[in-house]
Every structure is written in C-alpha cells, then in structure tokens.
Amino acid sequence: MRILSLISGLLILFTMCSPQQVHQEHIGKTVFRYNESKGINTLDPAYARNQTLIWPVNQLFSGLVQLNDSLEIEPCIASDWIISENGLVYTFYLRNDVYFHDDACFPCNEGRKVTSHDFSYSFTRIIDPSLASPGSWIFNRIRTNSNGEITGFKTINDTVLEITLSEPFPPFLGMLSMPYCFAIPREAVEKYKSEFGRNPVGTGPFRFHYWKEDEKLILLKNNKYFEKDSLGISLPYLDAVSITFIKDKQSEFLEFLKGNIDFLSGVHPVYKDELLTRSGRLNSKYRDKYQLITDAYLNTEYLGFLLDENITDSTNPLRDIQVRKAINYGFDRKKMMKYLRNNIGVPAQSGFIPVGIPSFSNDLTGYYHHPDTAAFLLQEAGYPNGKELPTITLTTTSDYLDLCEFIQYELAGLGIRLKIEVATGASFRNRVANSNLDFFRGSWIADYPDAENYFLLFVTDNFSPAGPNYTHFSNPLYDSLYYRSIKTPYEKERYKIYREMDSLLIDNAAIVPLYYDQSARFTHKKVKGLGSNPMNMLVLKYVQIVD
C-alpha cells in the first residue's frame, strides 16, 4: 500500500478538515495519480466533449449502458433492455440499488436512489437550448409531437424507462454510453445552478472531493458504488484519484520518472525517443520499471481538401482529382510512422475507417506509397514533374508540424511544392469549420463505436459550418448509401454498405488518410488492471496499486 505523498499538494484532501487531519485519515491509502496538461474547466457531463473532460467525468458518473474493452455494449445502471422490432422503442430496466453520491443537495447529506425520472431529466436537460450542450445532437432522432415538443422519454415507473425514436437508428444504443447521457440529480443542478460543473454529483466509482484550479483535483472512493468484480468484491479498488495540471510536457515526464505520476498517455515528442524504440517497444533500460500498454484507438488522422466549387478558386489545382490522388500516392506512410511516431499507429492504407472499429476491413485497398503512379497522375493532370503546378498551402497546428514537414519533403521529390502554414488551435478549428482552408490537417475521434460516426463527415446535408462535413464533399451515390445504412438493422448488411462508402471516398480522393491511431499508455509496474480500449477511455474502477 502507498503512503499518501506530501509532495505536490496531496495533503490537500479536505473539504471541512485541516491538512493535518486529512493526512492522518489517508495514511496507507492507494492513490492513482495522473496529469492533465490541458486543464479541466468543468465536470458537468453535459460538456464532456473531449478526452480531457471525459476521463474525470467517467470516474464520477455512469449511464444506462457502458462499453467493455472490446466495445461491446454492456449493462450499467440499466440491467437489461429490449428494442422493438421496428427499431423505434428502447425499453430499459434499471437496477434498484444505485445511489447518487452523498451531497448537501439531498436531505441529511445522504445520496438518493437513482430512478428512471433522473434519466428523463438528464436527457431533457441536454436538449435544452439554454444549456448549449455539445451533446444535444445525440437526441436529434427522439420522437416529438406536432408542436415540436419532446415526447420520446417516458418513465413507466421508477425502474422502467422508455425511449422512442422518430426513425430507426442502429447506433443509438452505443451512443447512450457517451458521458453526455450520464445520470445527474435534479437536486444538485437546482442547488448549484451554473456551478454544478464544479460541484458534481453522480453515481460513479469515485466521488468529488477537492478541486483547486490549475493545481489539483481529488476524487475519493465511492463506498456505495453498485458494481462488483467477478469475485463479488465491491469496486473500485483504489481509495483516491489525484489529477495534477502541469502544463509543460517535459516537467510532466520528469514527474513520471520520479514516481510522482503513475501514468503517461500518448506519444509526445518530448519523451517518445527516450521511452520507445523505432519499432514501438519500450526501451530496454525502462522495461524493469515501467510497462507499455498499446491498443487500437478510434482516431483517423488525415489531410482534408476543400472540394466546394462555390468556394474554391477555379485555378486551385486541388480541384483536380488527379492531383489529389498524386498527393495520396506521393509519400511513404510506413516510413512516416516509423520515424515520427515510433510505429505507434497503423499507416492508413485501407480507407478512412480506423483499425479497431467493428466494421474495419483490411480487404479495402486504399492509397500506398507509389511514386511512379503519382508522377503519372501529375502528367495526366498537365503537370509533368510538377511543372507549372502552383505552390499548395497546407495548414496545420504545431502538434502535427513534423508530419506535415515530412509529407512536404516527400512530395517535393515529385515536384509538388507545399507551403506549411501553422495556426493556433482555436483559430485553426474556426477556419476549418468555416471553410476557410483549401488544404488542412484533420483528425476524427469516434464518439461511439460505429463507423456511421465517420461516414457522416462526408454527407452533403452535413456541410460545415452547420455540420462536420469540413471538406464539402458531395456525392449523390454516397448520400444514398449513407441513408440506407442508418436504416439497416443487420450488421453484416450495414458493414457491406460501409465498405462501399469508404471505396467512394478513396475513388474520389476526398481526403488523404495518414494513419489509424493507437493509444500508448506508460505506467509504473506497480499499477495493475489499467487495461486499454479502442475508445481510449480511462477506466479506473479495476485499477490496483501493488507495491
């Protein structure tokens, strides 16, 4: 067991107690410590739109269903469910032993039992325009009446909830595993109002304890948590989770080496060559002390073209499909992954859908390195050896500058001249969303484990800025296949349609797929049970610290 460290402020585990009292109380307790360099601004599930927020929210709250490490949908607060034959009505049967965390919003400061009314309230809250939740789209297909009022949430009794859709949508059940759909109590929202995100009350394996902005967030074990392990032992095993907010990645890495942080996530230039070999293995000098956990991660990195002829200049060479294909064939993805990512990730040579998603297929042939084909395509486009081809501007953020410079160098050998423009994160996202960039670096991380989540990026009805179709790709056949797929309940048939759609994206060179991401988790050997999953969800309820 670990003695709770005095270093880095772990003394501050109090709400009403003095630091000395709290330290005495937690002697011998096990604490999992990780750093969030980007900071946390809210713990309200309604705003958990990125990994930074999803990770802590996932410790504090829970929903009707959850995903296991194989992305299979499993019971959570709902012990069972039935989907009607027409795919419209979802009936959930809730456990009757789930309680919200103890909190001052409840009488006697004791947690209240969760009922179906809490989910109806939580879902209705997400849809409320005044909340401006980025997750409201999840319920776009909920049944409404002629006045536009929501009628699709029905509480049959305290333990039975009925959700009715306006049209079938097979991915819907998986979407309910997202943090936006976690249960929250009305009492807490009414008590804390706009400050609920700083006073979270949920049902998760850990409960909120202390938060000092830019310094530390402490979560303590929920002794009333409802889940048990396969031996009937109550979860979680840990006594606490401590999150620091060190912004500098070099400092974060040093804290990990010193043992003050238990976990590093991702492959960062600061430490990738120190920890990893070119082949993606842990360097030999660290193998006795640390462990590396890798897994497929549902994230595709790509370069996007703006294809809207109403926006782009008629002289823009990227409007020529031959030029776009030449770029796709013109660089070596395998070499890029080896030298820039230490082989953490898979070269994207099978279309847009990443490894790890259930419908992924290696049978689909995408783009690979073939300079002769690229040169032929340039000649067909009227640019032999790149002659008279205008310089093409590729816009990225600093995090991906090395990848873009690699592609720039490789394409230069074909006579394709790239100019790299580096934009800040907020400015970059705004320009992409508003169709202000002809050629840009993009990524798409799955919100739920269905390829539909990727294919919606290229539907005509989803043109940005109203939707996520940032390339403004438009193809009638693609659109018809998409709408057919979301009405197809049978997986095998749906997956066949998905492959047709991916083939269309390849044939039209709508994007330049770069790589299918992998998660990389570095932990001390004493951390057991962390595991991994293709959603890169941080699941701490099974973690143990074993000295």
Side-chain angles (χ1 to χ4, degrees), residues 144-407:
T144 59
N145 61 21
S146 58
N147 295 322
E149 299 169 330
I150 299 294
T151 59
F153 303 132
K154 185 177 181 182
T155 53
I156 306 301
N157 55 45
D158 283 353
T159 59
V160 180
L161 173 70
E162 191 176 274
I163 301 176
T164 304
L165 305 183
S166 58
E167 60 180 345
F169 189 62
F172 180 69
L173 184 62
M175 291 165 64
L176 292 177
S177 69
M178 296 173 64
Y180 297 126
C181 303
F182 287 165
I184 62 172
R186 180 192 296 267
E187 297 95 323
V189 175
E190 291 178 348
K191 176 177 176 60
Y192 298 114
K193 298 181 173 58
S194 62
E195 289 296 302
F196 173 70
R198 300 192 66 83
N199 298 272
V201 182
T203 59
F206 298 92
R207 58 184 175 85
F208 175 74
H209 189 63
Y210 173 83
W211 186 4
K212 185 173 183 181
E213 195 166 349
D214 296 327
E215 184 176 317
K216 194 171 296 294
L217 171 63
I218 301 293
L219 313 178
L220 297 183
K221 177 177 182 175
N222 174 16
N223 291 314
K224 298 179 181 178
Y225 187 58
F226 57 95
E227 285 193 295
K228 294 178 171 58
D229 67 13
S230 59
L231 298 177
I233 299 172
S234 293
L235 298 172
Y237 305 123
L238 293 166
D239 294 301
V241 177
S242 173
I243 307 169
T244 51
F245 304 109
I246 303 168
K247 295 181 180 180
D248 179 64
K249 300 299 286 187
Q250 180 69 49
S251 298
E252 178 187 63
F253 179 51
L254 291 175
E255 289 297 297
F256 176 73
L257 294 180
K258 289 190 292 185
N260 295 330
I261 294 174
D262 297 309
F263 162 76
L264 283 178
S265 176
V267 179
H268 195 277
V270 162
Y271 54 75
K272 70 177 179 68
D273 292 326
E274 175 66 18
L275 290 178
L276 293 172
T277 66
R278 290 292 188 198
S279 61
R281 297 186 64 205
L282 199 62
N283 272 319
S284 57
K285 66 178 180 179
Y286 291 118
R287 289 174 192 165
D288 290 339
K289 191 174 183 180
Y290 306 119
Q291 56 190 339
L292 168 64
I293 306 168
T294 61
D295 201 347
Y297 177 27
L298 299 188
N299 173 38
T300 297
E301 296 290 338
Y302 67 97
L303 305 180
F305 303 107
L306 183 59
L307 302 176
D308 195 332
E309 295 183 0
N310 296 317
I311 299 176
T312 57
D313 190 319
S314 60
T315 61
N316 186 338
L318 297 179
R319 287 174 59 169
D320 191 325
I321 189 172
Q322 308 284 51
V323 174
R324 299 199 302 272
K325 286 185 175 182
I327 291 173
N328 266 291
Y329 282 117
F331 66 99
D332 192 335
R333 290 167 175 81
K334 291 183 178 179
K335 186 164 66 173
M336 178 182 73
M337 296 308 295
K338 179 177 180 179
Y339 290 104
L340 298 184
R341 292 278 302 177
N342 295 65
N343 275 331
I344 300 297
V346 178
Q349 298 182 160
S350 299
F352 188 58
I353 302 307
V355 176
I357 212 157
S359 57
F360 174 81
S361 174
N362 273 318
D363 297 335
L364 194 65
T365 302
Y367 293 102
Y368 50 93
H369 186 220
H370 204 288
D372 290 344
T373 298
F376 173 77
L377 289 165
L378 283 177
Q379 184 169 330
E380 289 289 295
Y383 305 111
N385 299 315
K387 291 180 180 179
E388 299 185 14
L389 180 67
T391 298
I392 297 168
T393 299
L394 171 60
T395 307
T396 183
T397 54
S398 58
D399 289 348
Y400 295 87
L401 179 59
D402 58 344
L403 290 176
C404 294
E405 288 179 338
F406 172 85
I407 295 168

Side-chain angles (χ1 to χ4, degrees), residues 11-20 22 26 209-211 218:
L11 283 171
I12 313 175
L13 280 171
F14 63 89
T15 303
M16 299 298 292
C17 307
S18 70
Q20 182 177 0
V22 172
H26 288 84
H209 189 63
Y210 173 83
W211 186 4
I218 301 293

Side-chain angles (χ1 to χ4, degrees), residues 8-48:
S8 304
L10 279 181
L11 283 171
I12 313 175
L13 280 171
F14 63 89
T15 303
M16 299 298 292
C17 307
S18 70
Q20 182 177 0
Q21 289 172 318
V22 172
H23 176 61
Q24 293 297 322
E25 180 185 353
H26 288 84
I27 288 290
K29 302 297 185 181
T30 56
V31 183
F32 182 85
R33 301 162 300 174
Y34 79 91
N35 184 64
E36 182 45 73
S37 60
K38 296 180 181 178
I40 294 171
N41 58 13
T42 181
L43 293 170
D44 187 339
Y47 302 106

